[in-house]
């Protein structure tokens, strides 16, 4: 049975930046083993798991293995530490020419030529290889069993409808949860599929939209970070009373940070800035909103607190201590040559101090040299806040009685 109070895990989006989340989770799993002993190798400490974009894939993988949390974390870590772009999108010359080159041609030569040639490229890159990775990494057929065994309370993933303009939360739960609706936000209970994960992780312009018509939802869907005004909402609606929130970028830079003036921004710089706004800003605003509500509730007398539907939510936010785009600048050269050539057309180039457009590249850098560094950063950042993590979960408090030994069970393996 999942722990009480019900703890939620919120994983934000960010393409290849989501490797950072795995490092944080790996450190959290290690802290729990050290605090609680072998029994901690069993079920997940998170009763509710909510994910967006690449975070939705991590979230679903954890949920499907909720009965083997440590093994699940190590499995996901192994995938992220050994990533190659070819596992996520077509990075060969032919694949890049069929998608990105034609797409850029339409931008430069106009839709008239594209219409004459009957070319209909849908995105900069073709993410069809991701389908096979999802089938191996996220065995959704195990999810009903996790609910039935009360290993997990709920899983939610988000996507944005290009057709209606609304932001959707798709969720599945052990017990019926009344769907909610807010301005431009819709929640829908459903049997989650790999199509939902493809839709949630479809970075705008970069990856093609996904149709969810076969899932009972008409229209085309893209990345769940778009129009996501309340990233914490799903986990709270599904019953979480405390939240571990893992970001994929610095939530706030140091005050007074000065960026020297440079040439007119390239398309890559503008695109990187736009993606950062999509992936990072809403999370920062929602965390601040949660803290503000908590401060207000703390001022209310008990009688008034009992009359309000609002309840204080304990939250712990862990986000990168370093700027991810600066890390990415040292790994741009790791991208496959056809992808580098494609991105050079929008202003990505150089490496290290001479790198240009590294922010955009950071979302596409599914290469082990980059993802390994992010995993290590996540571990280091979580360890630096060990006392906060232990206190948040209550693992710093002594537990009476002898700890039971965990029964031996098979590890998860990736075929």
């Amino acid at each position: 049975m999942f722990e009480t109070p019900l703890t939620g895990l919120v994983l934000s989006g960010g393409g290849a930046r989501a490797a950072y989340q795995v490092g944080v989770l790996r450190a959290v799993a290690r802290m729990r083993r050290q605090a609680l002993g072998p029994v901690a190798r069993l079920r997940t400490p998170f009763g509710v798991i909510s994910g967006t974009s690449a975070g939705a894939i991590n979230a679903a993988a954890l949920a499907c293995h909720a009965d083997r949390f440590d093994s699940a974390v190590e499995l996901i870590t192994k995938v992220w530490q050994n990533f190659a772009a070819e596992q996520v999108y077509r990075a060969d010359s032919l694949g890049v020419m069929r998608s990105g080159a034609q797409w850029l041609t339409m931008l430069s030569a106009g839709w008239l030529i594209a219409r004459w040639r009957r070319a209909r490229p849908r995105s900069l890159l073709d993410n069809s290889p991701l389908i096979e990775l999802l089938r191996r990494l996220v065995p959704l057929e195990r999810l009903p069993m996790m609910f039935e065994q009360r290993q997990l309370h709920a899983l939610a993933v988000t996507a944005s409808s290009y057709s209606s303009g609304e932001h959707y939360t798709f969720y599945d739960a052990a017990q019926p949860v009344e769907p909610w609706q807010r301005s431009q936000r819709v929640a829908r209970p459903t049997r989650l599929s790999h199509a939902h994960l493809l839709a949630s992780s479809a970075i705008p312009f970069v990856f093609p939209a996904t149709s969810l018509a076969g899932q009972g939802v008409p229209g085309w869907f893209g990345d769940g970070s778009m129009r996501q005004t309340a990233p914490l909402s799903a986990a709270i609606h599904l019953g979480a009373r405390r939240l571990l929130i893992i970001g994929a970028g610095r939530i706030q830079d140091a005050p007074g940070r000065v960026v020297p003036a440079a040439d007119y921004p390239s398309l890559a710089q503008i695109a990187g800035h736009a993606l950062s706004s999509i992936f990072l800003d809403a999370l920062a605003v929602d965390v601040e909103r949660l803290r503000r509500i908590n401060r207000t509730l703390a001022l209310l007398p008990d009688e008034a607190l009992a009359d309000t539907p609002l309840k204080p939510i304990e939250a712990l936010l862990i986000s990168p201590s370093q700027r991810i785009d600066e890390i990415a600048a040292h790994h741009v050269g790791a991208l496959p040559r056809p992808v580098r050539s494609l991105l050079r057309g929008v202003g990505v180039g150089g490496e290290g101090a001479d790198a240009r457009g590294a922010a955009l590249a950071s979302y596409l850098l599914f290469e082990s040299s980059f993802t390994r560094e992010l995993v290590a950063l996540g571990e280091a950042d979580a360890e630096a806040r060990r006392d906060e993590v232990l206190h948040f979960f209550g693992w710093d408090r002594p537990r009476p009685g002898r700890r039971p030994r965990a029964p031996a069970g098979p590890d998860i393996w990736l075929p």
Side-chain angles (χ1 to χ4, degrees):
M1 183 181 295
F2 34 81
E3 297 182 6
T4 55
L6 196 58
T7 303
L9 173 65
V10 178
L11 301 178
S12 66
R17 292 168 173 241
Y20 175 85
Q21 300 168 353
V22 180
V24 173
L25 290 169
R26 198 180 196 195
V28 168
R30 183 167 56 248
M31 292 180 206
R32 187 169 74 151
R33 288 197 303 273
Q34 293 169 348
L36 305 184
V39 72
R41 295 178 181 273
L42 297 179
R43 64 182 61 87
T44 177
F46 305 106
V48 175
I49 304 179
S50 175
T52 298
S53 191
I57 297 174
N58 285 339
L62 290 172
C64 292
H65 297 297
D67 55 339
R68 305 166 180 172
F69 179 69
D70 279 32
S71 296
V73 170
E74 287 306 308
L75 166 65
I76 302 170
T77 300
K78 181 179 179 181
V79 171
W80 280 99
Q81 287 184 331
N82 296 281
F83 240 135
E86 291 85 354
Q87 294 174 268
V88 179
Y89 53 82
R90 289 282 303 273
D92 58 288
S93 298
L94 181 59
V96 170
M97 287 178 63
R98 282 180 172 176
S99 56
Q102 289 189 14
W103 193 75
L104 291 178
T105 297
M106 286 196 303
L107 290 180
S108 60
W111 287 94
L112 183 61
I113 296 177
R115 187 175 182 180
W116 173 66
R117 295 180 57 191
R118 299 184 181 275
R120 292 292 186 272
R122 296 181 171 184
S123 59
L124 191 65
L125 295 169
D126 173 7
N127 66 342
S128 56
L130 180 58
I131 299 173
E132 178 58 29
L133 178 62
L134 291 178
R135 289 172 181 161
R136 297 162 57 207
L137 181 63
V138 188
L140 286 169
E141 66 275 6
R142 295 192 87 242
L143 199 55
M145 182 173 66
M146 296 300 96
F147 292 139
E148 184 179 349
Q149 295 178 356
R150 295 180 62 80
Q151 303 282 357
L152 184 72
H153 177 66
L155 168 66
V157 301
T158 66
S160 183
S161 172
Y162 288 121
S163 304
S164 70
E166 294 174 308
H167 182 270
Y168 275 73
T169 296
F170 299 102
Y171 67 92
D172 200 357
Q175 300 293 330
V177 176
E178 188 70 22
W180 61 95
Q181 187 162 356
R182 299 292 185 267
S183 176
Q184 300 298 315
R185 290 190 285 134
V186 178
R188 179 178 290 247
T190 189
R191 180 73 177 268
L192 292 169
S193 69
H194 291 135
H196 291 101
L197 301 181
L198 279 175
S200 182
S201 58
I203 301 174
F205 301 111
V206 177
F207 296 141
T210 299
S211 172
L212 294 180
Q215 313 298 323
V217 186
W220 294 86
F221 286 77
D223 200 290
S225 296
M226 294 186 292
R227 309 201 73 172
Q228 187 180 40
T229 57
L232 310 183
S233 171
I236 296 173
H237 274 290
L238 291 170
R241 289 295 169 260
R242 62 184 181 188
L243 299 176
L244 174 62
I245 308 157
I246 308 179
R250 284 179 65 90
I251 298 300
Q252 185 175 1
D253 282 317
R257 180 174 178 266
V258 178
V259 179
D263 297 332
Y264 188 83
S266 67
L267 181 59
Q269 287 177 284
I270 296 172
H273 182 73
L275 289 179
S276 294
S277 298
I278 291 172
F279 287 116
L280 306 180
D281 292 354
L283 180 62
V285 170
D286 209 23
V287 168
E288 178 55 35
R289 182 189 298 121
L290 177 66
R291 290 170 174 169
R292 192 164 56 247
I293 292 174
N294 281 344
R295 287 194 296 267
T296 301
L297 292 175
L299 298 175
L300 296 179
D302 292 341
E303 299 79 11
L305 190 60
D307 289 336
T308 177
L310 297 176
K311 302 299 178 185
I313 303 292
E314 184 181 0
L316 176 61
L317 169 65
I318 300 179
S319 61
S321 58
Q322 302 176 30
R323 290 178 58 85
I324 301 298
D325 49 351
E326 293 179 358
I327 297 175
H330 297 281
H331 298 278
V332 172
L335 284 166
R337 185 182 298 274
V339 178
R340 293 204 310 271
S341 299
L342 175 67
L343 294 180
R344 193 176 300 121
V346 295
V348 176
E351 195 165 355
D354 299 324
R356 305 179 305 279
L360 173 60
S362 70
Y363 296 97
L364 305 178
L365 260 167
F366 293 95
E367 295 292 340
S368 60
S369 64
F370 178 61
T371 56
R372 283 175 182 265
E373 187 165 347
L374 292 193
V375 170
L377 178 63
E379 287 195 70
D381 285 351
E383 283 289 351
R385 301 177 63 182
R386 169 180 284 267
D387 291 345
E388 292 178 73
V389 173
L390 294 177
H391 182 73
F392 173 80
F393 286 101
W395 299 336
D396 58 344
R397 295 187 285 274
R399 302 203 170 206
R402 184 179 178 181
R403 298 188 184 106
R405 292 181 60 85
D411 285 338
I412 303 167
W413 62 285
L414 188 64

